[in-house]
Amino acid sequence: MRTSRLARLLALLFAFTLVAAACGSDDGEAEEVATTEAAADDSADMADDDMADDSADMADDDMADDSADMADDDMADDDMSGMLADNSVFGNGAEEWEQAVHLGEANPLAAEGDPITLFLVNLEGSPGGSFPEIREGLEIGINFINTSLGGVGADLANGVPGRPLTLESCPHTLDPAEAQACAAESVAANPDIIVKGIDFFSPIFWPVWGGQFPVIDTLPIFVADFVADGSLAMGGACVSAFPGGAQAMVEAGHDRIAIIYSDNAPGQECWADTQERFYKYFEQTAGIEYRGFPEAPGDPSDNDANVQEVLNFLEGSNGAVHFGIQASDCAEYNDALDAAGNTHQVWPSGSCVDDAVTSAASATGKHFGFDGPPSPDNASLLAQFHPFWQWEVNQREAVLMAGDPESPLSTFMRLGFNTAVMAYQVVGDFVAAGGDPSDHQALKDFMGSLDNQHRVAGTPLDCANKVSDWGAICAFHFTSFTWDGEEFVANEFLGHDPADPSTWINVRDLLSAVASEVPRG
């Protein structure tokens, strides 16, 4: 009996891998599989989302040169007259981050003193569940902060070093006993901040952490993550991507919406909490009709039948199709819809922003979700974003390249870097306000009330106005761009300006309304 229960749990955990892919953003969100080999393939897809061929691209001298050029544009070593950042747009700390990078790259300063400790718990080493890129991105980011920026609280202009960040790590496989051991080890280490990497053991971790520690969650996946006490999520994941997509389709005038989602336990949880509740709300307030279409992930045998049911449901309407599935399934459904003669608009989630999807003719005319600027792979789209975001994306890429990581550059490595910067800035602000990082409750409270907080290559975090049903989520922005067969262009239905996030959808008010009108079951 015990072996049977463990086998079922492991099968579910393999499936969790693709929840992150289905909810994930372009740069910045589980499908159940029958075999470990299939799960390993899905994990590889996740690790490479939005950046097939990144490694080759990163090797190009032009990118490194471009990053260096951007870093130096209009700026002598100590001349800040050419600053691109604006805290009112990109969050408190954006200007300080840009200034620190320029000063530190011109005159590197090493950190000194007692370290501020981060403890990472992360899935590594199992087929179907291994994400070392998160750890490598954190390590490279911390090294850059410690060796160039003088550490936390440094006065770069006057050459006064601050305290170093240090990273302890407990990698574990898809073994619940190992996850439990890592949870216990993270508590025993008594770090200043716990970092939850890409991990599927939320039911184990949060009870052990018990709200005692400040936690930065790199990628929230489950309801337990959305509501965790003491957690600061690095992005909105499903909580911003799926409601944002729903609101976009309603704003675009669609009156009937078909939602294709993953038919497994984690996919059903995501459907119930971050999709169906919102469509019920729009059914009540905007008069739309909707229907969910569960699909067997990784199994194309049900695609044609599902597509025919979708088209039957949408017939005679100004309808739309939304995908909340993994990238490989996105490509299959795009192909199947086109082959069946679909004439309705298709709105894939950010997980579908993948070379394997956009390289197919069936991706043309589809409206893909984004929550910030893309990676440098999508250079033509990145060029439409604000110059600060262009600089920030390319500067991060240059630092990651210089860090010589073992893994290929990926979305998750970038996320690890962003997490290091978040810890550096938040702890720095906390210390500047007179806080002691070893005071877990005070730091947890500080993190939980962040207002307009800068986030590398993303819209600011707004924890001061979070919604209790998703109390760990502070990122609320969504936008969409259309693939024209060669590049991403403006979505004619929305009129969002890539350079001005104030024109994008902010789902915060929608979350509040749904929490009130459609309570969690």
Side-chain angles (χ1 to χ4, degrees):
M1 177 67 72
R2 183 177 181 181
T3 301
S4 176
R5 290 178 62 194
L6 180 58
R8 289 197 300 272
L9 178 57
L10 289 176
L12 182 60
L13 292 172
F14 290 144
F16 290 174
T17 301
L18 296 172
V19 165
C23 297
S25 73
D26 48 287
D27 190 18
E29 350 93 29
E31 315 296 356
E32 191 166 6
V33 291
T35 67
T36 300
E37 181 178 356
D41 291 342
D42 290 335
S43 180
D45 289 343
M46 246 185 115
D48 294 333
D49 268 359
D50 316 328
M51 57 206 66
D53 302 328
D54 261 4
S55 295
D57 292 342
M58 297 309 122
D60 292 344
D61 287 341
D62 288 346
M63 174 162 290
D65 291 344
D66 288 346
S67 283
D69 290 344
M70 290 195 76
D72 294 333
D73 273 354
D74 305 322
M75 295 194 186
D77 288 350
D78 296 317
D79 179 13
M80 297 295 112
S81 61
M83 292 280 287
L84 302 172
D86 180 344
N87 283 358
S88 68
V89 176
F90 302 106
N92 298 323
E95 295 171 14
E96 290 78 3
W97 173 246
E98 183 182 2
Q99 183 177 41
V101 169
H102 288 305
L103 289 172
E105 289 184 339
N107 296 292
L109 181 65
E112 298 178 0
D114 294 333
I116 295 166
T117 304
L118 311 182
F119 194 105
L120 170 68
V121 178
N122 190 47
L123 266 174
E124 297 187 35
S126 283
S130 185
F131 309 101
E133 307 98 316
I134 281 284
R135 172 180 47 77
E136 291 185 70
L138 269 162
E139 289 170 343
I140 292 171
I142 288 172
N143 182 66
F144 176 68
I145 289 164
N146 288 343
T147 61
S148 294
L149 308 189
V152 174
D155 181 354
L156 284 158
N158 293 301
V160 179
R163 295 171 61 183
L165 289 171
T166 187
L167 181 68
E168 298 179 25
S169 180
C170 186
H172 64 89
T173 64
L174 282 168
D175 180 342
E178 290 189 20
Q180 185 77 51
C182 277
E185 184 179 336
S186 66
V187 171
N190 196 34
D192 298 304
I193 295 177
I194 292 174
V195 178
K196 176 176 163 285
I198 309 298
D199 216 305
F200 312 142
F201 287 92
S202 301
I204 289 177
F205 296 142
W206 295 117
V208 174
W209 293 334
Q212 302 175 62
F213 292 87
V215 178
I216 299 179
D217 190 347
T218 61
L219 182 64
I221 301 173
F222 306 107
V223 173
D225 298 322
F226 304 156
V227 302
D229 180 30
S231 176
L232 174 67
M234 283 297 296
C238 296
V239 179
S240 58
F242 288 160
Q247 182 171 332
M249 288 182 285
V250 171
E251 289 184 4
H254 298 301
D255 56 6
R256 196 175 297 170
I257 301 173
I259 309 99
I260 299 174
Y261 70 93
S262 301
D263 189 19
N264 54 42
Q268 290 160 5
E269 179 176 327
C270 205
W271 157 255
D273 197 64
T274 63
Q275 294 176 282
E276 188 175 25
R277 292 176 70 187
F278 294 84
Y279 289 107
K280 284 182 178 178
Y281 174 79
F282 284 123
E283 182 181 52
Q284 298 167 5
T285 60
I288 69 158
E289 298 177 65
Y290 77 92
R291 180 178 163 190
F293 294 83
E295 86 96 21
D299 178 7
S301 65
D302 67 340
N303 292 4
D304 290 341
N306 241 359
V307 163
Q308 191 55 56
E309 286 193 46
V310 165
L311 296 183
N312 290 343
F313 172 68
L314 295 178
E315 185 176 0
S317 71
N318 180 24
V321 183
H322 183 264
F323 297 161
I325 52 181
Q326 61 173 321
S328 58
D329 289 336
C330 295
E332 292 171 0
Y333 269 96
N334 277 340
D335 289 345
L337 283 164
D338 278 14
N342 173 55
T343 59
H344 300 281
Q345 299 297 319
V346 178
W347 297 70
S349 63
S351 61
C352 300
V353 183
D354 184 280
D355 286 353
V357 178
T358 55
S359 61
S362 59
T364 300
K366 308 300 192 291
H367 313 298
F368 292 78
F370 287 79
D371 66 359
S375 69
D377 290 351
N378 291 302
S380 60
L381 178 58
L382 180 59
Q384 301 175 50
F385 281 76
H386 191 282
F388 172 68
W389 266 342
Q390 294 181 48
W391 170 82
E392 197 165 40
V393 165
N394 284 300
Q395 189 274 337
R396 176 183 62 190
E397 215 77 354
V399 173
L400 290 172
M401 288 167 55
D404 193 24
E406 294 181 8
S407 303
L409 268 74
S410 69
T411 293
F412 292 144
M413 191 175 296
R414 294 176 178 122
L415 180 56
F417 180 90
N418 295 356
T419 303
V421 176
M422 180 63 69
Y424 159 76
Q425 292 204 288
V426 169
V427 176
D429 290 344
F430 178 64
V431 170
D436 177 356
S438 66
D439 185 340
H440 293 149
Q441 186 62 49
L443 180 55
K444 184 166 73 79
D445 291 344
F446 184 83
M447 288 169 52
S449 61
L450 293 172
D451 183 16
N452 189 42
Q453 173 63 43
H454 167 247
R455 181 170 54 128
V456 172
T459 53
L461 297 183
D462 182 14
C463 301
N465 294 298
K466 59 192 177 184
V467 178
S468 59
D469 265 22
W470 300 274
I473 305 299
C474 305
F476 306 118
H477 285 83
F478 173 88
T479 187
S480 174
F481 298 98
T482 303
W483 182 254
D484 72 357
E486 295 184 357
E487 62 185 17
F488 285 102
V489 298
N491 185 328
E492 63 177 319
F493 293 101
L494 298 180
H496 295 176
D497 180 355
D500 183 5
S502 71
T503 66
W504 303 359
I505 289 171
N506 185 322
V507 301
R508 193 269 170 203
D509 289 343
L510 175 60
L511 295 178
S512 181
V514 169
S516 173
E517 301 298 325
V518 189
R520 181 175 285 136

